[in-house]
Amino acid sequence: MAVLQQFLLSLIPVVVIAFDLYIKVVFAAIVLSWLEAFGIINSYNKIVRVISDVIHSLTDWYFGFFRRFIPPAGMVDVSSLLALLVLYFAAGVIPRMLYVLVQSL
């Protein structure tokens, strides 16, 4: 039991860091989509296109889940904001659930 408890305790900071990094990527995707929608950045620039492709490849699968339920409202993508809120909620709940699981073992 002690080995499993130590493993789960060491897993909690990794989960927190993973959520933190993905929240930053999702936030960058939201800002990037706004910049692209309003024509502020040049999407034909090679560097911008590479960065955009990487960010979209990391987040499109996550946003796609929410876009199935929430249709787009004009130029603002409300589903991505809901996705960010859900991610914040999960980042607060899942590490605490892991800690409670460790305490119950």
Side-chain angles (χ1 to χ4, degrees), residues 1 4-9 11-12 93-105:
M1 269 318 183
L4 181 61
Q5 284 179 330
Q6 287 298 326
F7 174 72
L8 289 175
L9 276 176
L11 188 65
I12 292 172
V93 170
I94 291 177
R96 289 184 184 140
M97 287 176 54
L98 280 172
Y99 186 73
V100 168
L101 177 67
V102 168
Q103 296 302 317
S104 66
L105 292 179

Side-chain angles (χ1 to χ4, degrees), residues 22-93:
Y22 198 66
I23 285 171
K24 290 176 181 172
V25 170
V26 166
F27 186 74
I30 292 171
V31 171
L32 182 66
S33 71
W34 289 345
L35 293 175
E36 288 174 346
F38 293 115
I40 295 173
I41 60 172
N42 182 8
S43 59
Y44 294 108
N45 186 335
K46 192 173 187 177
I47 296 171
V48 172
R49 178 55 44 205
V50 168
I51 293 171
S52 176
D53 288 344
V54 169
I55 289 176
H56 286 300
S57 68
L58 290 173
T59 58
D60 279 347
W61 65 272
Y62 182 64
F63 290 156
F65 175 76
F66 294 96
R67 287 182 181 138
R68 282 187 280 168
F69 302 111
I70 301 172
M75 293 181 72
V76 178
D77 189 11
V78 181
S79 62
S80 60
L81 295 175
L82 179 64
L84 184 63
L85 290 175
V86 168
L87 193 59
Y88 270 121
F89 177 76
V93 170

